[in-house]
Amino acid sequence: MKNSVAAIFAATACVAGKAASDDVPAPDFEMGNIPTVITPTRLRQSIMDVPASVSIITAEDIRRYGIRSIPEAFRLVPGMEVNEATGGQYKINYHGSNIRSPRRMNVLVDGISVYRPGFSEIFWSQLPIALQDIERIEVTRGPNSASYGPNSMMAVINIITKHPGDLERGSASATWGSNGLYQLHGQVARLFGSTAASLAVSSEGDHGYDWSSQREADHDSARTKRISFKSDTKLDESSSFQFQAAYVKGITEMPFTSEFESFPDIRIEDWYLGATWTKQVSPDHDFHLRFTHSNHEAKQEWTACFPRVTYLPELYALWRSNPNYANAVLAGQRPSGGSAQDDALALQAIAAVRRLGATALTPLCGTGNANRVEKRTDFEFQDTYVVSPSLRVVAGFGIREQTAESETYLGGKASNRLYRVLGNAEFKPTPGVSLNIGGYGENDDVVGWTFAPRAAMNIQMSSTQSLRAVISKGLRTPDVQEQRGNISYTLRANTPGPDGSLTPRFYQSASASGNLKPEEALSTELGYTYINQPRGVLVDARIFREKLTNLISETVEVTDFNLTNNNSVLLYGLDLQTTYEVSPTLHSFLNYTYLLNKGATVLLERSQYSRHAGALGMSKTFGNGWGLSAAYYGASGNGVGEASYGRLDFVASRNWRIGNNRLEASFVVSRLNNKSTSYLAREGSVYESRFDERMKVFGRLKVAF
Amino acid sequence: MLGKTASKSVRLRRRIVAQSMLFGTLLSAKGAKGALPGTEVRALISGSTEPVRPFIEAFGLRQRNFYYDSNLRNLVARRGSAIYLALGPVSLSTLLEANVDGPIVSVFVASQTYKQMLSGATANRTKQITGVFAECSPDSQLELAYALFQRRISVGVLLSSITAGSENLIRQAAQKHNIELTTHVVSANANPVRELNRLADVTAILAIPDAMIFNSQTLRGLLESTYRRGQGIIGFSTSMVMAGTLATAYAAVDDVAAQVDEVVQFIGRERIPESQYPYYWRVEVNKQVARSLNIIVSDGVLALGSRPKAR
């Protein structure tokens, strides 16, 4: 026991016993022997020891800089490429590359992946949480498959929501502004014995852009409603149980369509469940068991009126054998040069077309769909053991079952079971030196065994400076559609099709070859961290080289479904993030990335690329409750077909205390450098979306009680 | 109360006497400092002597005319004038109720508890009572806060109706140490953990002993919540630091013994002084928590405070 007065306090508490609690209004000793709460296993690594570059966005940053959506918050992360292609449709990649299919980054909300397993999508506008629910966002920049597994190929975004025990008893907020933006959010939190619980509801949406190039229409609004519940129960002094559930419903309007179809808007309905039991065996040893399940339903239906001839079964069969033959027959030509089977099928198709006669070109109308249901069930065990002050080990294993179902994309249902093990060790052989060595192995039904290792060394040169060298491998395993895709469009027809059926199939179809390997990123970085505490300065800089190979760059389309691992690209450059706390009331930050994209084997791997990107901001609070901030976000937009981005925000805010209640109001004026945005939809085709005005205004009111 | 405790007492007393003899030269060299002619220092302890043994030993080396017991009747039955030491709030409560004849020096009682306990006493009685508070002053804690961060930072304090009266004292200390202070008074039925929301934008939290804020039901939540937000807690005991707060200024047993001895001397020489915070103190830092919060702890921080002169 420490030779201190406090030690005596603690001990005397036990002695004082009843007399103290009865007789003394505020006994000094009543806390007794205080257990270690912030145990060695729970301690976060210092920025000096972290084996990666990490950016943290706090709730305070979000409030201070008037950030209006979760994707927009990522503009604060150096190297994160953020493009809002159409309203609510964000294309986000760390260090860019392929804007068409941004799927090389893992996104977790309180440990539950929101990365859809079947089609590698993230619906950014329909995440299960609202901006107001966020405590902080931790972004591990660079491959982190060694800790989080495949899909954590370029970065991991870990969104951590507010703990129910930390929340105010209740709050309500409303935000409104340009482009029809509205956000309504309400939350209550209560304590029930040893359980802290919170419930949040929100509704939000906007009109999106004012103009879209594809149909020259304004049809890209997004609307979302969600409800989420979270609880944390202290079972006893050493264990706790966390439970979370969320339900999301939303619609994203899609401006893309053809002259034969209506807009294929996506209606999503998702729910998430998570349960975690954490046991503290000792201050140096804890483990958790986590079970999560998520169900993602995307309903995408449209009215289609293609000529009856395109639904001929004979034409469908011919396309399966030789697409060029099918197109030739439709164009009224007699195809040649194919196999004998092609020729035979072509004859059957031509005969069928002739049988239709004049009705061949009359429209057959009905409802097409790209509906899909994806499910993920995951079980995880993870153990953290601080063997000694110089050795800390994290190890675990898990099983995941994921299924995807889609009549259109998969021809039914496909599933995949994955087994994984992970291990990471932080070893400090001498003071000032940290070694982090780890790896992640996964066995996937489709791909087989994969392994992603990482090794890092942090050397503290002085109390204020450290160097970091990291080499790591990141993986993205092909999704269910890429491996087992079987695309065909079945029409729910209003009248019988050419074969007499009410569910005729469109003649075009495609199937996956099923022999894809994981995409790989081999990353090396040299980082430098500097903390100048007296001046409130923190600098984290790194130079990096990321070699991306085995890339599946091709787009998944029914007319061109030929995925390969043939592509690669080299990314290298410099990331810099700095914060400068000039005084307790004056904060500033500067983030910058210089990126070079070299050797892309296809244009798409160079379609999201900003050689210069960054953000700069300053925020001042005043004693009377007023606050002012300004921030600029920019990206040079050097990608193929990619527009540059620049935005200047001014935020004025005011807080009032009314009794025990708190009222906050803020007003944001935002100016865009460029009213339009554009991206490469496929080689040779650039889509553009545009606002009518550069200037935007937003207002927000919040009451907390 | 005699029996085991008493015999233990006797054994301890013998040991102290022996130690006094051993250090007799040193104590004599200090001259009258070690002795109050005609006045005995009598300490009342509550329950077992074990928890307060380090203090008794340290104080016994400074005061030869020192007696302690856990039985009040044994204390008051002794002849001659006396200064009473109340070791802990239960002892203080007992001595206050017993209305003993002589000054009382409270030891190991936090300032707010001390003030509350004395609030029911008569003015004449309170004139006879003084104390060395258990916790270090806000001034010491904020001096430590500034030294830890090495710059002007914002510090938040949760107060309750018990401690709201300390706000001015804390503000003065904050001004002295160039700290931006935010205070929030927690109402009686509010949950202190939730009330931390009112201090969400401060760099660190100053914890002061207040049973309405920091108690066995809230401590875990307060520590976890502030850690989640990346805020360090300063104060108010080394046990708290072991539990996970960032750092504290604290008075070690030797520091307390020296200060109590000086108070006793002052009473003997002049008058009963005002109750006071420890003016001998040192620093305890949870280096692991500091590192995880990216705080660099300089050697200067660990050398803060002041130490009593060697005996």
Side-chain angles (χ1 to χ4, degrees), chain B residues 183-213:
Chain B
T183 60
H184 174 66
V185 179
V186 177
S187 56
N189 53 356
N191 177 355
V193 182
R194 293 204 194 291
E195 298 297 297
L196 281 172
N197 275 299
R198 309 300 167 99
L199 306 176
D201 53 355
V202 302
T203 310
I205 303 287
L206 172 65
I208 58 174
D210 182 337
M212 282 180 68
I213 310 286

Short mmCIF file of all heavy atoms in Angstrom, two decimals, chain B residues 183-213:
data_model
loop_
_atom_site.label_atom_id
_atom_site.label_comp_id
_atom_site.label_asym_id
_atom_site.label_seq_id
_atom_site.Cartn_x
_atom_site.Cartn_y
_atom_site.Cartn_z
N THR B 183 -17.60 25.97 -14.24
CA THR B 183 -18.19 25.23 -13.12
C THR B 183 -19.64 24.90 -13.46
O THR B 183 -20.28 25.60 -14.24
CB THR B 183 -18.16 26.05 -11.81
OG1 THR B 183 -18.90 27.25 -12.03
CG2 THR B 183 -16.75 26.37 -11.40
N HIS B 184 -20.11 23.84 -12.88
CA HIS B 184 -21.53 23.50 -13.05
C HIS B 184 -22.03 22.91 -11.74
O HIS B 184 -21.43 21.98 -11.20
CB HIS B 184 -21.71 22.49 -14.19
CG HIS B 184 -23.12 22.01 -14.31
ND1 HIS B 184 -24.15 22.84 -14.68
CD2 HIS B 184 -23.68 20.79 -14.09
CE1 HIS B 184 -25.28 22.16 -14.68
NE2 HIS B 184 -25.02 20.92 -14.32
N VAL B 185 -23.11 23.48 -11.25
CA VAL B 185 -23.68 22.99 -10.00
C VAL B 185 -24.72 21.92 -10.32
O VAL B 185 -25.68 22.17 -11.05
CB VAL B 185 -24.29 24.14 -9.18
CG1 VAL B 185 -24.91 23.59 -7.89
CG2 VAL B 185 -23.23 25.19 -8.86
N VAL B 186 -24.49 20.75 -9.77
CA VAL B 186 -25.37 19.60 -10.02
C VAL B 186 -26.50 19.62 -9.00
O VAL B 186 -26.25 19.72 -7.80
CB VAL B 186 -24.56 18.28 -9.87
CG1 VAL B 186 -25.46 17.08 -10.07
CG2 VAL B 186 -23.41 18.27 -10.87
N SER B 187 -27.72 19.54 -9.48
CA SER B 187 -28.84 19.57 -8.54
C SER B 187 -28.93 18.23 -7.81
O SER B 187 -28.37 17.21 -8.26
CB SER B 187 -30.15 19.89 -9.27
OG SER B 187 -30.35 18.96 -10.29
N ALA B 188 -29.67 18.25 -6.71
CA ALA B 188 -29.66 17.11 -5.78
C ALA B 188 -30.08 15.80 -6.44
O ALA B 188 -29.54 14.74 -6.15
CB ALA B 188 -30.57 17.41 -4.59
N ASN B 189 -31.04 15.87 -7.34
CA ASN B 189 -31.55 14.61 -7.92
C ASN B 189 -30.91 14.28 -9.27
O ASN B 189 -31.34 13.35 -9.95
CB ASN B 189 -33.07 14.66 -8.06
CG ASN B 189 -33.51 15.89 -8.83
OD1 ASN B 189 -32.66 16.71 -9.18
ND2 ASN B 189 -34.80 16.02 -9.08
N ALA B 190 -29.92 15.05 -9.66
CA ALA B 190 -29.31 14.82 -10.98
C ALA B 190 -28.22 13.75 -10.90
O ALA B 190 -27.65 13.51 -9.85
CB ALA B 190 -28.73 16.12 -11.50
N ASN B 191 -27.98 13.15 -12.04
CA ASN B 191 -26.92 12.14 -12.15
C ASN B 191 -25.62 12.85 -12.54
O ASN B 191 -25.54 13.42 -13.64
CB ASN B 191 -27.33 11.12 -13.22
CG ASN B 191 -26.25 10.08 -13.45
OD1 ASN B 191 -25.16 10.16 -12.90
ND2 ASN B 191 -26.57 9.11 -14.27
N PRO B 192 -24.61 12.82 -11.68
CA PRO B 192 -23.37 13.56 -11.98
C PRO B 192 -22.73 13.14 -13.30
O PRO B 192 -22.11 13.95 -13.98
CB PRO B 192 -22.45 13.22 -10.81
CG PRO B 192 -23.34 12.76 -9.73
CD PRO B 192 -24.54 12.15 -10.37
N VAL B 193 -22.88 11.86 -13.66
CA VAL B 193 -22.24 11.39 -14.90
C VAL B 193 -22.87 12.12 -16.10
O VAL B 193 -22.18 12.60 -17.00
CB VAL B 193 -22.37 9.86 -15.05
CG1 VAL B 193 -21.68 9.40 -16.32
CG2 VAL B 193 -21.77 9.17 -13.85
N ARG B 194 -24.19 12.22 -16.10
CA ARG B 194 -24.86 12.94 -17.19
C ARG B 194 -24.49 14.42 -17.19
O ARG B 194 -24.38 15.05 -18.23
CB ARG B 194 -26.37 12.83 -17.05
CG ARG B 194 -26.92 11.44 -17.24
CD ARG B 194 -28.38 11.48 -17.66
NE ARG B 194 -29.03 10.20 -17.54
CZ ARG B 194 -28.76 9.14 -18.29
NH1 ARG B 194 -27.84 9.24 -19.22
NH2 ARG B 194 -29.40 8.01 -18.12
N GLU B 195 -24.29 14.95 -15.99
CA GLU B 195 -24.01 16.38 -15.89
C GLU B 195 -22.64 16.73 -16.47
O GLU B 195 -22.34 17.89 -16.73
CB GLU B 195 -24.09 16.83 -14.43
CG GLU B 195 -25.46 16.66 -13.81
CD GLU B 195 -26.53 17.51 -14.49
OE1 GLU B 195 -26.42 18.73 -14.45
OE2 GLU B 195 -27.46 16.92 -15.08
N LEU B 196 -21.83 15.71 -16.70
CA LEU B 196 -20.53 15.97 -17.36
C LEU B 196 -20.72 16.56 -18.75
O LEU B 196 -19.82 17.16 -19.31
CB LEU B 196 -19.72 14.67 -17.46
CG LEU B 196 -19.00 14.21 -16.20
CD1 LEU B 196 -18.41 12.83 -16.42
CD2 LEU B 196 -17.89 15.18 -15.81
N ASN B 197 -21.91 16.36 -19.32
CA ASN B 197 -22.19 16.96 -20.63
C ASN B 197 -21.99 18.47 -20.62
O ASN B 197 -21.67 19.06 -21.63
CB ASN B 197 -23.64 16.67 -21.04
CG ASN B 197 -23.76 15.32 -21.70
OD1 ASN B 197 -23.14 15.10 -22.73
ND2 ASN B 197 -24.51 14.42 -21.10
N ARG B 198 -22.21 19.06 -19.45
CA ARG B 198 -22.07 20.53 -19.35
C ARG B 198 -20.61 20.93 -19.38
O ARG B 198 -20.29 22.10 -19.48
CB ARG B 198 -22.73 21.04 -18.05
CG ARG B 198 -24.16 20.56 -17.87
CD ARG B 198 -25.02 21.03 -19.04
NE ARG B 198 -26.32 20.37 -19.09
CZ ARG B 198 -27.45 20.88 -18.63
NH1 ARG B 198 -27.46 22.05 -18.07
NH2 ARG B 198 -28.58 20.22 -18.73
N LEU B 199 -19.74 19.94 -19.25
CA LEU B 199 -18.30 20.23 -19.26
C LEU B 199 -17.63 19.52 -20.44
O LEU B 199 -16.45 19.22 -20.41
CB LEU B 199 -17.66 19.76 -17.94
CG LEU B 199 -18.30 20.28 -16.65
CD1 LEU B 199 -17.63 19.64 -15.43
CD2 LEU B 199 -18.18 21.79 -16.55
N ALA B 200 -18.42 19.29 -21.48
CA ALA B 200 -17.92 18.45 -22.58
C ALA B 200 -16.73 19.06 -23.30
O ALA B 200 -15.91 18.33 -23.86
CB ALA B 200 -19.05 18.21 -23.58
N ASP B 201 -16.61 20.38 -23.29
CA ASP B 201 -15.54 20.98 -24.08
C ASP B 201 -14.32 21.39 -23.26
O ASP B 201 -13.43 22.05 -23.79
CB ASP B 201 -16.07 22.18 -24.89
CG ASP B 201 -16.78 23.18 -24.02
OD1 ASP B 201 -16.94 22.89 -22.83
OD2 ASP B 201 -17.17 24.24 -24.52
N VAL B 202 -14.24 20.98 -22.02
CA VAL B 202 -13.05 21.33 -21.23
C VAL B 202 -11.96 20.27 -21.43
O VAL B 202 -12.24 19.14 -21.80
CB VAL B 202 -13.36 21.49 -19.72
CG1 VAL B 202 -14.42 22.56 -19.50
CG2 VAL B 202 -13.78 20.17 -19.11
N THR B 203 -10.73 20.68 -21.15
CA THR B 203 -9.61 19.75 -21.33
C THR B 203 -9.51 18.77 -20.18
O THR B 203 -9.19 17.60 -20.38
CB THR B 203 -8.29 20.56 -21.43
OG1 THR B 203 -8.48 21.59 -22.40
CG2 THR B 203 -7.13 19.69 -21.83
N ALA B 204 -9.75 19.25 -18.97
CA ALA B 204 -9.60 18.38 -17.79
C ALA B 204 -10.68 18.71 -16.77
O ALA B 204 -11.31 19.77 -16.82
CB ALA B 204 -8.22 18.59 -17.18
N ILE B 205 -10.89 17.76 -15.88
CA ILE B 205 -11.89 17.92 -14.82
C ILE B 205 -11.16 17.97 -13.48
O ILE B 205 -10.27 17.15 -13.23
CB ILE B 205 -12.86 16.71 -14.81
CG1 ILE B 205 -13.55 16.54 -16.17
CG2 ILE B 205 -13.86 16.83 -13.67
CD1 ILE B 205 -14.61 17.53 -16.50
N LEU B 206 -11.54 18.92 -12.65
CA LEU B 206 -11.00 18.97 -11.29
C LEU B 206 -11.99 18.27 -10.37
O LEU B 206 -13.16 18.66 -10.31
CB LEU B 206 -10.79 20.42 -10.85
CG LEU B 206 -10.40 20.63 -9.39
CD1 LEU B 206 -9.03 20.02 -9.10
CD2 LEU B 206 -10.42 22.11 -9.02
N ALA B 207 -11.52 17.24 -9.70
CA ALA B 207 -12.39 16.52 -8.75
C ALA B 207 -12.12 17.03 -7.36
O ALA B 207 -10.96 17.09 -6.93
CB ALA B 207 -12.11 15.03 -8.82
N ILE B 208 -13.17 17.43 -6.67
CA ILE B 208 -13.00 17.81 -5.27
C ILE B 208 -13.89 16.90 -4.43
O ILE B 208 -14.93 16.46 -4.89
CB ILE B 208 -13.30 19.30 -5.02
CG1 ILE B 208 -14.72 19.64 -5.47
CG2 ILE B 208 -12.31 20.18 -5.74
CD1 ILE B 208 -15.12 21.06 -5.12
N PRO B 209 -13.48 16.59 -3.21
CA PRO B 209 -14.26 15.64 -2.41
C PRO B 209 -15.67 16.18 -2.18
O PRO B 209 -15.85 17.27 -1.63
CB PRO B 209 -13.49 15.56 -1.09
CG PRO B 209 -12.15 16.08 -1.39
CD PRO B 209 -12.30 17.07 -2.48
N ASP B 210 -16.62 15.46 -2.65
CA ASP B 210 -18.01 15.86 -2.53
C ASP B 210 -18.82 14.59 -2.70
O ASP B 210 -18.91 14.04 -3.80
CB ASP B 210 -18.35 16.89 -3.63
CG ASP B 210 -19.79 17.38 -3.53
OD1 ASP B 210 -20.61 16.67 -2.93
OD2 ASP B 210 -20.07 18.48 -4.04
N ALA B 211 -19.41 14.14 -1.62
CA ALA B 211 -20.09 12.83 -1.66
C ALA B 211 -21.27 12.84 -2.60
O ALA B 211 -21.72 11.78 -3.04
CB ALA B 211 -20.54 12.46 -0.26
N MET B 212 -21.79 14.00 -2.94
CA MET B 212 -22.91 14.03 -3.90
C MET B 212 -22.41 13.83 -5.33
O MET B 212 -23.18 13.49 -6.21
CB MET B 212 -23.67 15.35 -3.79
CG MET B 212 -24.60 15.37 -2.58
SD MET B 212 -25.50 16.91 -2.46
CE MET B 212 -26.55 16.82 -3.90
N ILE B 213 -21.13 14.10 -5.55
CA ILE B 213 -20.58 13.94 -6.91
C ILE B 213 -19.76 12.64 -6.99
O ILE B 213 -20.03 11.78 -7.80
CB ILE B 213 -19.67 15.14 -7.28
CG1 ILE B 213 -20.38 16.47 -7.02
CG2 ILE B 213 -19.18 15.00 -8.72
CD1 ILE B 213 -21.43 16.83 -7.99
#
